[in-house]
């Protein structure tokens, strides 16, 4: 697996157009790419099954997330909640705990809500048609196309970040890759390329995605080993590294926060974020904006000198760049604590043995690592 591989999916989901499929298939390109895919495809756990639930789970986890990050999460999730019914019956706390560290927690909540709906309205089976799949929470054009084509062999296209890049280069499309005009064109091209009745649309879609993930890389496309380089317009014109073009994204908002880690050899103090705020439902050391640091310290019944600054954590989200100052103090056995601010709805001393079972953001692991308070041998994932 390439270390430079990308596997971002999903941004095109919300913008799937409704242009009809057309004929005129470049079958030579399809044959070459499919032959290549059959030979080199990576053995990923979700590729060993066509179970619609497994396909759906993997596609949801892969949105905005790299393949190598997803693999252990997918395997654990499938072990703990192996069926639609098991997911529908699970508590939100359990689902979020299994998702802890994977980020974009809204995906987990929507997956959970959709599983309940599938059990309630569809007898526990995912609908087979993309249009019906799209009525479920969290399933957009990309995910619906992926499930319908891979799990149900429906003739549905997919356009994720990888496919968009490949198609933009194959056809030397110069417009902004995020503009609705180009997105519509990419979906039309993806539909035009689908194999006819004799082919497997799921394999074809995965072949395109695999090419984008392992060969047609964002900065340095590996055209020398590309199975379709002789049919690539961007390569022929020597502009493959310039494509796809995109208008630069806005700079992320810079946020400064303070985290207070109170710990003892037995436990650590964690607070749960309210469901309707960023990182909702997740547990973390009490945290505030720096402007509110005095408030936070007071709410915890501490004086500034009770805490020691042990380092900073930088955490980058899609639209924010957070710098979290970490201060550490002792968790006294008899101290009582109130909920430490409006962003929280609970606060608890959590025994270190329990921490792996709580829903936590990746940021919490980083904060606890900087604070160096976890007992020796405890692996915080
Ligand atoms: Fe991408 Fe290069 Fe292949 Fe064109 S030839 S599809 S730019 S890897």
């Amino acid at each position: 697996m390439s270390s430079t591989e990308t596997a971002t999916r999903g941004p095109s989901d919300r913008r799937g157009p409704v242009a009809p499929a057309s004929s005129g298939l470049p079958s030579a390109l399809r044959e070459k790419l499919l032959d290549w895919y059959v030979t080199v495809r990576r053995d990923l756990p979700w590729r060993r099954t066509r179970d619609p639930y497994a396909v759906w789970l993997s596609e949801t986890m892969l949105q905005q997330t790299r393949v190598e990050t997803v693999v252990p999460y997918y395997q654990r999730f499938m072990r703990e909640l192996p069926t639609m019914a098991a997911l529908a019956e699970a508590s939100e706390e359990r689902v979020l705990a299994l998702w802890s560290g994977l980020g974009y927690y809204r995906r987990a909540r929507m997956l959970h809500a959709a599983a309940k709906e599938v059990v309630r309205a569809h007898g526990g089976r995912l609908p087979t048609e993309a249009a019906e799949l799209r009525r479920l929470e969290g399933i957009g054009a990309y995910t619906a196309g992926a499930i319908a084509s891979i799990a149900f062999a429906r003739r549905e296209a997919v356009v994720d970040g990888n496919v968009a890049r490949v198609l933009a280069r194959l056809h030397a499309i110069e417009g902004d890759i995020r503009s609705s005009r180009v997105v519509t064109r990419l979906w039309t091209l993806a539909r035009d390329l689908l194999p006819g009745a004799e082919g497997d649309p799921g394999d074809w879609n995965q072949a395109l995605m695999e090419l984008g993930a392992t060969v047609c890389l964002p900065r340095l496309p590996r055209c020398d080993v590309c199975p379709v380089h002789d049919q690539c317009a961007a390569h022929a014109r020597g502009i493959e590294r310039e494509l796809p073009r995109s208008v630069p994204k806005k700079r992320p908002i810079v946020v400064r926060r303070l985290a207070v880690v109170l710990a003892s050899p037995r436990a650590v103090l964690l607070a749960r974020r309210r469901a309707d705020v960023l990182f909702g439902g997740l547990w973390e050391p009490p945290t505030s904006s720096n402007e509110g640091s005095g408030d936070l310290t007071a709410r915890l019944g501490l004086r500034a000198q009770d805490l020691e600054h042990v380092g900073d954590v930088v955490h980058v989200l899609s639209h924010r760049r957070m710098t979290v100052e970490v201060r550490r103090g002792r968790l006294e056995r008899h101290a009582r604590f109130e909920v430490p601010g409006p962003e929280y709805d609970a606060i608890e001393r959590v025994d270190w043995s329990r921490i792996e079972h709580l829903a936590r953001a990746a940021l919490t692991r980083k904060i606890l690592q900087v604070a160096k308070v976890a007992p020796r041998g405890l692996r915080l994932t």
Side-chain angles (χ1 to χ4, degrees):
M1 185 184 306
S2 164
S3 61
T4 50
E5 168 201 349
T6 58
T8 56
R9 300 185 179 184
S12 304
D13 262 7
R14 293 180 299 280
R15 295 173 292 199
V18 290
S22 66
S23 57
L25 307 176
S27 55
L29 181 137
R30 252 206 338 264
E31 271 170 36
K32 280 186 193 170
L33 191 49
L34 273 171
D35 285 350
W36 168 84
Y37 176 64
V38 168
T39 316
V40 306
R41 68 178 164 196
R42 293 162 298 169
D43 178 26
L44 300 171
W46 47 86
R47 286 195 178 149
R48 296 177 204 149
T49 175
R50 297 247 169 170
D51 170 15
Y53 172 71
V55 172
W56 176 40
L57 176 66
S58 64
E59 291 297 341
T60 305
M61 286 185 162
L62 285 163
Q63 289 167 18
Q64 317 287 343
T65 312
R66 296 165 69 89
V67 164
E68 59 268 38
T69 305
V70 166
V71 168
Y73 281 92
Y74 169 85
Q75 290 173 320
R76 188 162 68 126
F77 206 100
M78 285 300 287
R79 249 192 334 269
E80 303 266 327
L81 302 173
T83 63
M84 189 72 71
L87 173 57
E89 284 166 19
S91 67
E92 181 171 294
E93 181 87 27
R94 185 150 180 236
V95 174
L96 288 176
L98 289 169
W99 208 272
S100 287
L102 201 50
Y104 300 97
Y105 296 90
R106 212 165 144 251
R107 290 179 299 174
R109 288 206 182 80
M110 291 196 289
L111 185 86
H112 192 207
K116 290 180 183 172
E117 177 65 9
V118 170
V119 167
R120 192 191 65 75
H122 301 279
R125 288 166 185 262
L126 274 170
T128 58
E129 304 301 330
E132 275 186 81
L133 285 162
R134 288 193 66 173
R135 291 197 196 105
L136 293 168
E137 220 171 314
I139 297 189
Y142 166 77
T143 311
I147 297 169
S149 63
I150 297 169
F152 301 117
R154 293 295 190 268
R155 201 169 171 277
E156 293 286 348
V158 298
V159 178
D160 68 348
N162 285 323
V163 173
R165 185 170 59 256
V166 170
L167 293 178
R169 285 172 173 165
L170 282 175
H171 294 270
I173 295 172
E174 304 248 7
D176 177 2
I177 190 95
R178 289 196 282 265
S179 70
S180 57
R181 183 180 62 78
V182 171
V183 169
T184 301
R185 183 159 174 218
L186 293 172
W187 277 90
T188 304
L189 289 169
R191 289 191 173 106
D192 286 352
L193 280 171
L194 282 166
E198 78 293 348
D200 181 331
D203 270 357
W204 168 250
N205 285 336
Q206 292 188 85
L208 266 180
M209 291 191 263
E210 189 82 349
L211 187 73
T214 62
V215 174
C216 195
L217 302 171
R219 291 210 186 93
L220 292 176
R222 300 165 59 213
C223 304
D224 50 331
V225 296
C226 176
V228 292
H229 69 270
D230 55 351
Q231 283 157 298
C232 177
H235 182 57
R237 288 167 52 189
I239 56 168
E240 64 270 17
R241 291 191 192 182
E242 292 161 35
L243 299 184
R245 298 194 204 284
S246 62
V247 174
K249 286 184 185 168
K250 284 188 198 153
R251 291 170 74 105
I253 302 166
V254 175
V255 181
R256 292 196 63 82
R257 297 176 74 90
L258 166 77
V260 172
V261 180
L262 295 183
S264 71
R266 275 196 60 185
V268 60
L269 187 72
L270 297 183
R272 187 177 61 198
R273 297 180 66 80
R274 268 190 7 230
D276 56 345
V277 299
L278 180 70
F279 300 140
L282 305 184
W283 292 83
E284 64 181 16
T287 302
S288 78
S289 65
N290 259 11
E291 301 76 57
S293 60
D295 275 358
L296 177 65
T297 313
R299 279 173 203 258
L300 293 170
L302 302 167
R303 298 163 303 167
Q305 59 266 38
D306 295 330
L307 298 170
E308 163 193 19
H309 179 205
V310 287
D312 291 349
V313 168
V314 174
H315 193 63
V316 181
L317 302 166
S318 51
H319 303 298
R320 287 167 214 244
R321 183 186 165 85
M322 282 188 191
T323 302
V324 183
E325 180 185 328
V326 182
R327 290 191 207 163
R328 179 177 65 194
R330 230 197 107 60
L331 180 58
E332 302 295 347
R333 186 188 290 198
H334 299 296
R336 291 181 166 274
F337 300 97
E338 290 174 17
V339 172
E343 293 180 331
Y344 297 101
D345 61 9
I347 188 161
E348 271 186 36
R349 288 163 196 274
V350 175
D351 279 6
W352 287 110
S353 58
R354 258 186 71 214
I355 197 161
E356 284 296 304
H357 305 291
L358 286 187
R360 293 158 291 121
L363 178 58
T364 293
R365 173 177 46 79
K366 291 186 192 171
I367 291 171
L368 293 177
Q369 279 170 346
V370 165
K372 293 194 175 70
V373 287
R376 194 180 287 265
L378 180 73
R379 220 176 109 251
L380 289 167
T381 53

